[in-house]
Amino acid sequence: MTFRFDDAVVTGVLGHMNADHTGDNLLIARAFGPEAAYTAATMTGFDGEGGEWTAERAEGGAESIRVPWPGGAITERPQVRRQLVALYDEACARLGVEPRPHD
C-alpha cells in the first residue's frame, strides 16, 4: 500500500516547490516526461512512491507526469526533500545541466 503524507506536509512541500523551485520543476518535467519542450511545470502532488507534476506543452495543453522516487519508497517528511534533490540532480544529469550546490 502506498504511503500517504498528511495534508499539512503535502501543502507545505507543494507551496515551497511551486514558489521557490519553479525552474527545478521544469527540469524534472523535461527530464522525466515524454517531451523535452515543456514551457512550465507545477508540482501537483506526491506520496511515498513518487512525485507528480503538470507540465505545459509548448504547443498548448498540459500533461501529467509521475516520477518514482529514485531511492525507492519513503514514509517520512525529511525523505521527501532528499528524494526531490535526487530527482533534480538526475534531471540535470539527463539534460546536461550543471546542478547548483545543495545546502
Side-chain angles (χ1 to χ4, degrees), residues 65-87:
I65 300 167
R66 174 130 175 114
V67 184
W69 299 130
I74 60 174
T75 58
E76 298 178 19
R77 166 64 185 92
Q79 294 172 308
V80 176
R81 181 185 188 281
R82 288 192 293 273
Q83 293 306 306
L84 285 168
V85 168
L87 279 179

Side-chain angles (χ1 to χ4, degrees), residues 7 12-13 19 22 27-28 37-39 52 59 77 84 88 101-102:
D7 290 344
V13 169
T22 56
L27 281 171
I28 291 167
Y38 298 118
T39 58
E52 299 163 358
E59 69 279 359
R77 166 64 185 92
L84 285 168
Y88 165 79
H102 306 296

Side-chain angles (χ1 to χ4, degrees), residues 3-14:
F3 182 82
R4 304 277 177 208
F5 290 89
D6 68 44
D7 290 344
V9 169
V10 172
T11 298
V13 169
L14 295 181

Side-chain angles (χ1 to χ4, degrees), residues 15-34:
H16 176 70
M17 288 298 294
N18 293 324
D20 299 334
H21 296 286
T22 56
D24 298 357
N25 287 335
L26 184 55
L27 281 171
I28 291 167
R30 286 179 172 167
F32 294 97

Side-chain angles (χ1 to χ4, degrees), residues 36-49:
Y38 298 118
T39 58
T42 304
M43 189 172 190
T44 56
F46 66 92
D47 57 31
E49 301 295 323

